[in-house]
PDB file of all heavy atoms in Angstrom:
ATOM      1  N   ALA A   1      56.054 -97.187 199.213  1.00  0.00           N
ATOM      2  CA  ALA A   1      56.303 -96.410 200.431  1.00  0.00           C
ATOM      3  C   ALA A   1      57.110 -97.221 201.441  1.00  0.00           C
ATOM      4  O   ALA A   1      58.083 -96.722 202.032  1.00  0.00           O
ATOM      5  CB  ALA A   1      54.987 -95.943 201.043  1.00  0.00           C
ATOM      6  N   ALA A   2      56.741 -98.484 201.635  1.00  0.00           N
ATOM      7  CA  ALA A   2      57.455 -99.333 202.587  1.00  0.00           C
ATOM      8  C   ALA A   2      58.865 -99.638 202.089  1.00  0.00           C
ATOM      9  O   ALA A   2      59.815 -99.699 202.882  1.00  0.00           O
ATOM     10  CB  ALA A   2      56.673-100.624 202.814  1.00  0.00           C
ATOM     11  N   PHE A   3      59.022 -99.835 200.779  1.00  0.00           N
ATOM     12  CA  PHE A   3      60.340-100.095 200.203  1.00  0.00           C
ATOM     13  C   PHE A   3      61.275 -98.922 200.458  1.00  0.00           C
ATOM     14  O   PHE A   3      62.420 -99.096 200.908  1.00  0.00           O
ATOM     15  CB  PHE A   3      60.201-100.351 198.703  1.00  0.00           C
ATOM     16  CG  PHE A   3      61.501-100.651 197.999  1.00  0.00           C
ATOM     17  CD1 PHE A   3      61.899-101.964 197.803  1.00  0.00           C
ATOM     18  CD2 PHE A   3      62.308 -99.632 197.528  1.00  0.00           C
ATOM     19  CE1 PHE A   3      63.096-102.253 197.149  1.00  0.00           C
ATOM     20  CE2 PHE A   3      63.506 -99.909 196.884  1.00  0.00           C
ATOM     21  CZ  PHE A   3      63.903-101.218 196.686  1.00  0.00           C
ATOM     22  N   MET A   4      60.803 -97.704 200.183  1.00  0.00           N
ATOM     23  CA  MET A   4      61.659 -96.528 200.356  1.00  0.00           C
ATOM     24  C   MET A   4      61.958 -96.264 201.827  1.00  0.00           C
ATOM     25  O   MET A   4      63.059 -95.815 202.175  1.00  0.00           O
ATOM     26  CB  MET A   4      61.016 -95.308 199.697  1.00  0.00           C
ATOM     27  CG  MET A   4      60.916 -95.408 198.181  1.00  0.00           C
ATOM     28  SD  MET A   4      62.491 -95.805 197.364  1.00  0.00           S
ATOM     29  CE  MET A   4      63.496 -94.388 197.861  1.00  0.00           C
ATOM     30  N   LEU A   5      61.003 -96.547 202.695  1.00  0.00           N
ATOM     31  CA  LEU A   5      61.246 -96.385 204.132  1.00  0.00           C
ATOM     32  C   LEU A   5      62.362 -97.324 204.587  1.00  0.00           C
ATOM     33  O   LEU A   5      63.272 -96.919 205.319  1.00  0.00           O
ATOM     34  CB  LEU A   5      59.966 -96.673 204.913  1.00  0.00           C
ATOM     35  CG  LEU A   5      60.048 -96.495 206.439  1.00  0.00           C
ATOM     36  CD1 LEU A   5      60.374 -95.049 206.792  1.00  0.00           C
ATOM     37  CD2 LEU A   5      58.729 -96.912 207.089  1.00  0.00           C
ATOM     38  N   ALA A   6      62.326 -98.557 204.126  1.00  0.00           N
ATOM     39  CA  ALA A   6      63.375 -99.510 204.480  1.00  0.00           C
ATOM     40  C   ALA A   6      64.704 -99.136 203.835  1.00  0.00           C
ATOM     41  O   ALA A   6      65.769 -99.319 204.430  1.00  0.00           O
ATOM     42  CB  ALA A   6      62.954-100.921 204.066  1.00  0.00           C
ATOM     43  N   ALA A   7      64.654 -98.586 202.634  1.00  0.00           N
ATOM     44  CA  ALA A   7      65.881 -98.242 201.914  1.00  0.00           C
ATOM     45  C   ALA A   7      66.628 -97.084 202.570  1.00  0.00           C
ATOM     46  O   ALA A   7      67.856 -96.996 202.467  1.00  0.00           O
ATOM     47  CB  ALA A   7      65.546 -97.885 200.464  1.00  0.00           C
ATOM     48  N   ARG A   8      65.897 -96.198 203.247  1.00  0.00           N
ATOM     49  CA  ARG A   8      66.543 -95.034 203.862  1.00  0.00           C
ATOM     50  C   ARG A   8      67.578 -95.427 204.912  1.00  0.00           C
ATOM     51  O   ARG A   8      68.504 -94.670 205.204  1.00  0.00           O
ATOM     52  CB  ARG A   8      65.491 -94.124 204.496  1.00  0.00           C
ATOM     53  CG  ARG A   8      64.618 -93.394 203.499  1.00  0.00           C
ATOM     54  CD  ARG A   8      63.799 -92.299 204.158  1.00  0.00           C
ATOM     55  NE  ARG A   8      62.835 -91.730 203.231  1.00  0.00           N
ATOM     56  CZ  ARG A   8      61.531 -92.006 203.235  1.00  0.00           C
ATOM     57  NH1 ARG A   8      61.039 -92.836 204.133  1.00  0.00           N
ATOM     58  NH2 ARG A   8      60.723 -91.456 202.361  1.00  0.00           N
ATOM     59  N   ALA A   9      67.435 -96.597 205.483  1.00  0.00           N
ATOM     60  CA  ALA A   9      68.370 -97.049 206.520  1.00  0.00           C
ATOM     61  C   ALA A   9      69.610 -97.713 205.926  1.00  0.00           C
ATOM     62  O   ALA A   9      70.521 -98.083 206.664  1.00  0.00           O
ATOM     63  CB  ALA A   9      67.662 -98.020 207.462  1.00  0.00           C
ATOM     64  N   GLU A  10      69.646 -97.876 204.609  1.00  0.00           N
ATOM     65  CA  GLU A  10      70.756 -98.556 203.954  1.00  0.00           C
ATOM     66  C   GLU A  10      71.343 -97.638 202.885  1.00  0.00           C
ATOM     67  O   GLU A  10      70.789 -97.503 201.801  1.00  0.00           O
ATOM     68  CB  GLU A  10      70.282 -99.868 203.316  1.00  0.00           C
ATOM     69  CG  GLU A  10      69.702-100.879 204.293  1.00  0.00           C
ATOM     70  CD  GLU A  10      70.774-101.471 205.200  1.00  0.00           C
ATOM     71  OE1 GLU A  10      71.957-101.510 204.797  1.00  0.00           O
ATOM     72  OE2 GLU A  10      70.413-101.897 206.321  1.00  0.00           O
ATOM     73  N   ALA A  11      72.481 -96.982 203.218  1.00  0.00           N
ATOM     74  CA  ALA A  11      73.057 -95.988 202.311  1.00  0.00           C
ATOM     75  C   ALA A  11      73.386 -96.592 200.948  1.00  0.00           C
ATOM     76  O   ALA A  11      73.156 -95.972 199.906  1.00  0.00           O
ATOM     77  CB  ALA A  11      74.320 -95.383 202.931  1.00  0.00           C
ATOM     78  N   GLY A  12      73.924 -97.814 200.946  1.00  0.00           N
ATOM     79  CA  GLY A  12      74.277 -98.439 199.675  1.00  0.00           C
ATOM     80  C   GLY A  12      73.063 -98.677 198.802  1.00  0.00           C
ATOM     81  O   GLY A  12      73.113 -98.486 197.585  1.00  0.00           O
ATOM     82  N   LEU A  13      71.980 -99.098 199.400  1.00  0.00           N
ATOM     83  CA  LEU A  13      70.755 -99.355 198.644  1.00  0.00           C
ATOM     84  C   LEU A  13      70.159 -98.048 198.147  1.00  0.00           C
ATOM     85  O   LEU A  13      69.707 -97.957 196.989  1.00  0.00           O
ATOM     86  CB  LEU A  13      69.740-100.098 199.511  1.00  0.00           C
ATOM     87  CG  LEU A  13      68.355-100.321 198.901  1.00  0.00           C
ATOM     88  CD1 LEU A  13      68.455-101.034 197.564  1.00  0.00           C
ATOM     89  CD2 LEU A  13      67.472-101.102 199.853  1.00  0.00           C
ATOM     90  N   LEU A  14      70.158 -97.034 198.986  1.00  0.00           N
ATOM     91  CA  LEU A  14      69.605 -95.751 198.574  1.00  0.00           C
ATOM     92  C   LEU A  14      70.383 -95.192 197.386  1.00  0.00           C
ATOM     93  O   LEU A  14      69.809 -94.634 196.446  1.00  0.00           O
ATOM     94  CB  LEU A  14      69.642 -94.768 199.748  1.00  0.00           C
ATOM     95  CG  LEU A  14      68.626 -93.632 199.728  1.00  0.00           C
ATOM     96  CD1 LEU A  14      67.207 -94.169 199.608  1.00  0.00           C
ATOM     97  CD2 LEU A  14      68.760 -92.776 200.977  1.00  0.00           C
ATOM     98  N   ASN A  15      71.708 -95.367 197.400  1.00  0.00           N
ATOM     99  CA  ASN A  15      72.529 -94.920 196.277  1.00  0.00           C
ATOM    100  C   ASN A  15      72.200 -95.702 195.007  1.00  0.00           C
ATOM    101  O   ASN A  15      72.115 -95.133 193.915  1.00  0.00           O
ATOM    102  CB  ASN A  15      74.005 -95.079 196.607  1.00  0.00           C
ATOM    103  CG  ASN A  15      74.907 -94.576 195.492  1.00  0.00           C
ATOM    104  OD1 ASN A  15      74.936 -93.394 195.177  1.00  0.00           O
ATOM    105  ND2 ASN A  15      75.646 -95.490 194.876  1.00  0.00           N
ATOM    106  N   GLU A  16      71.985 -97.015 195.141  1.00  0.00           N
ATOM    107  CA  GLU A  16      71.624 -97.844 193.986  1.00  0.00           C
ATOM    108  C   GLU A  16      70.294 -97.388 193.384  1.00  0.00           C
ATOM    109  O   GLU A  16      70.161 -97.256 192.157  1.00  0.00           O
ATOM    110  CB  GLU A  16      71.536 -99.312 194.406  1.00  0.00           C
ATOM    111  CG  GLU A  16      71.060-100.263 193.315  1.00  0.00           C
ATOM    112  CD  GLU A  16      72.057-100.467 192.202  1.00  0.00           C
ATOM    113  OE1 GLU A  16      73.260-100.209 192.427  1.00  0.00           O
ATOM    114  OE2 GLU A  16      71.649-100.880 191.097  1.00  0.00           O
ATOM    115  N   VAL A  17      69.325 -97.138 194.240  1.00  0.00           N
ATOM    116  CA  VAL A  17      68.023 -96.681 193.773  1.00  0.00           C
ATOM    117  C   VAL A  17      68.145 -95.322 193.082  1.00  0.00           C
ATOM    118  O   VAL A  17      67.548 -95.076 192.022  1.00  0.00           O
ATOM    119  CB  VAL A  17      67.017 -96.618 194.935  1.00  0.00           C
ATOM    120  CG1 VAL A  17      65.703 -95.959 194.495  1.00  0.00           C
ATOM    121  CG2 VAL A  17      66.730 -98.018 195.479  1.00  0.00           C
ATOM    122  N   LEU A  18      68.954 -94.427 193.654  1.00  0.00           N
ATOM    123  CA  LEU A  18      69.145 -93.101 193.061  1.00  0.00           C
ATOM    124  C   LEU A  18      69.795 -93.209 191.688  1.00  0.00           C
ATOM    125  O   LEU A  18      69.361 -92.548 190.736  1.00  0.00           O
ATOM    126  CB  LEU A  18      70.003 -92.239 193.986  1.00  0.00           C
ATOM    127  CG  LEU A  18      70.373 -90.845 193.449  1.00  0.00           C
ATOM    128  CD1 LEU A  18      69.132 -90.019 193.173  1.00  0.00           C
ATOM    129  CD2 LEU A  18      71.292 -90.124 194.443  1.00  0.00           C
ATOM    130  N   GLN A  19      70.838 -94.033 191.566  1.00  0.00           N
ATOM    131  CA  GLN A  19      71.511 -94.183 190.283  1.00  0.00           C
ATOM    132  C   GLN A  19      70.568 -94.725 189.222  1.00  0.00           C
ATOM    133  O   GLN A  19      70.571 -94.281 188.065  1.00  0.00           O
ATOM    134  CB  GLN A  19      72.732 -95.095 190.434  1.00  0.00           C
ATOM    135  CG  GLN A  19      73.866 -94.504 191.268  1.00  0.00           C
ATOM    136  CD  GLN A  19      74.375 -93.183 190.692  1.00  0.00           C
ATOM    137  OE1 GLN A  19      74.583 -93.033 189.487  1.00  0.00           O
ATOM    138  NE2 GLN A  19      74.561 -92.210 191.575  1.00  0.00           N
ATOM    139  N   ARG A  20      69.734 -95.680 189.603  1.00  0.00           N
ATOM    140  CA  ARG A  20      68.778 -96.232 188.654  1.00  0.00           C
ATOM    141  C   ARG A  20      67.723 -95.195 188.282  1.00  0.00           C
ATOM    142  O   ARG A  20      67.291 -95.114 187.120  1.00  0.00           O
ATOM    143  CB  ARG A  20      68.124 -97.489 189.231  1.00  0.00           C
ATOM    144  CG  ARG A  20      69.041 -98.703 189.243  1.00  0.00           C
ATOM    145  CD  ARG A  20      68.462 -99.849 190.039  1.00  0.00           C
ATOM    146  NE  ARG A  20      69.299-101.034 189.968  1.00  0.00           N
ATOM    147  CZ  ARG A  20      69.143-102.037 189.104  1.00  0.00           C
ATOM    148  NH1 ARG A  20      68.130-102.007 188.243  1.00  0.00           N
ATOM    149  NH2 ARG A  20      69.947-103.078 189.095  1.00  0.00           N
ATOM    150  N   ALA A  21      67.298 -94.392 189.243  1.00  0.00           N
ATOM    151  CA  ALA A  21      66.317 -93.343 188.969  1.00  0.00           C
ATOM    152  C   ALA A  21      66.891 -92.309 188.006  1.00  0.00           C
ATOM    153  O   ALA A  21      66.184 -91.825 187.098  1.00  0.00           O
ATOM    154  CB  ALA A  21      65.876 -92.682 190.269  1.00  0.00           C
ATOM    155  N   LEU A  22      68.171 -91.974 188.177  1.00  0.00           N
ATOM    156  CA  LEU A  22      68.801 -91.002 187.281  1.00  0.00           C
ATOM    157  C   LEU A  22      68.924 -91.552 185.864  1.00  0.00           C
ATOM    158  O   LEU A  22      68.714 -90.826 184.887  1.00  0.00           O
ATOM    159  CB  LEU A  22      70.177 -90.605 187.824  1.00  0.00           C
ATOM    160  CG  LEU A  22      70.169 -89.750 189.096  1.00  0.00           C
ATOM    161  CD1 LEU A  22      71.590 -89.548 189.616  1.00  0.00           C
ATOM    162  CD2 LEU A  22      69.509 -88.394 188.837  1.00  0.00           C
ATOM    163  N   ARG A  23      69.236 -92.844 185.739  1.00  0.00           N
ATOM    164  CA  ARG A  23      69.298 -93.441 184.401  1.00  0.00           C
ATOM    165  C   ARG A  23      67.922 -93.445 183.747  1.00  0.00           C
ATOM    166  O   ARG A  23      67.789 -93.188 182.543  1.00  0.00           O
ATOM    167  CB  ARG A  23      69.871 -94.857 184.480  1.00  0.00           C
ATOM    168  CG  ARG A  23      71.357 -94.914 184.799  1.00  0.00           C
ATOM    169  CD  ARG A  23      71.948 -96.276 184.483  1.00  0.00           C
ATOM    170  NE  ARG A  23      71.457 -97.322 185.350  1.00  0.00           N
ATOM    171  CZ  ARG A  23      72.008 -97.659 186.513  1.00  0.00           C
ATOM    172  NH1 ARG A  23      73.073 -97.000 186.962  1.00  0.00           N
ATOM    173  NH2 ARG A  23      71.513 -98.654 187.233  1.00  0.00           N
ATOM    174  N   ALA A  24      66.894 -93.736 184.536  1.00  0.00           N
ATOM    175  CA  ALA A  24      65.530 -93.705 184.002  1.00  0.00           C
ATOM    176  C   ALA A  24      65.148 -92.288 183.580  1.00  0.00           C
ATOM    177  O   ALA A  24      64.471 -92.093 182.557  1.00  0.00           O
ATOM    178  CB  ALA A  24      64.546 -94.228 185.042  1.00  0.00           C
ATOM    179  N   LEU A  25      65.586 -91.289 184.355  1.00  0.00           N
ATOM    180  CA  LEU A  25      65.316 -89.895 184.000  1.00  0.00           C
ATOM    181  C   LEU A  25      66.007 -89.529 182.699  1.00  0.00           C
ATOM    182  O   LEU A  25      65.420 -88.850 181.835  1.00  0.00           O
ATOM    183  CB  LEU A  25      65.776 -88.968 185.129  1.00  0.00           C
ATOM    184  CG  LEU A  25      65.607 -87.466 184.898  1.00  0.00           C
ATOM    185  CD1 LEU A  25      64.149 -87.112 184.646  1.00  0.00           C
ATOM    186  CD2 LEU A  25      66.159 -86.682 186.088  1.00  0.00           C
ATOM    187  N   ASP A  26      67.239 -89.986 182.518  1.00  0.00           N
ATOM    188  CA  ASP A  26      67.951 -89.729 181.263  1.00  0.00           C
ATOM    189  C   ASP A  26      67.187 -90.317 180.082  1.00  0.00           C
ATOM    190  O   ASP A  26      67.058 -89.682 179.030  1.00  0.00           O
ATOM    191  CB  ASP A  26      69.357 -90.331 181.322  1.00  0.00           C
ATOM    192  CG  ASP A  26      70.314 -89.531 182.187  1.00  0.00           C
ATOM    193  OD1 ASP A  26      70.000 -88.356 182.480  1.00  0.00           O
ATOM    194  OD2 ASP A  26      71.364 -90.081 182.575  1.00  0.00           O
ATOM    195  N   ARG A  27      66.675 -91.544 180.244  1.00  0.00           N
ATOM    196  CA  ARG A  27      65.919 -92.162 179.152  1.00  0.00           C
ATOM    197  C   ARG A  27      64.622 -91.409 178.883  1.00  0.00           C
ATOM    198  O   ARG A  27      64.201 -91.272 177.725  1.00  0.00           O
ATOM    199  CB  ARG A  27      65.637 -93.627 179.477  1.00  0.00           C
ATOM    200  CG  ARG A  27      66.869 -94.522 179.437  1.00  0.00           C
ATOM    201  CD  ARG A  27      66.511 -95.995 179.388  1.00  0.00           C
ATOM    202  NE  ARG A  27      65.894 -96.463 180.610  1.00  0.00           N
ATOM    203  CZ  ARG A  27      66.554 -97.015 181.623  1.00  0.00           C
ATOM    204  NH1 ARG A  27      67.866 -97.154 181.566  1.00  0.00           N
ATOM    205  NH2 ARG A  27      65.914 -97.447 182.691  1.00  0.00           N
TER     206      ARG A  27
END
């Protein structure tokens, strides 16, 4: 929860997390 709260303020990080989540979803 704290990680995602901090990530919301950083567009580049949020995009990185999203891309990794999508790859995990594909797997």
Side-chain angles (χ1 to χ4, degrees):
F3 181 95
M4 294 307 299
L5 182 62
R8 290 192 188 103
E10 299 290 334
L13 174 55
L14 205 55
N15 182 65
E16 175 70 21
V17 172
L18 176 60
Q19 292 302 316
R20 286 170 176 266
L22 290 174
R23 289 196 292 271
L25 178 59
D26 285 343
R27 290 196 292 267

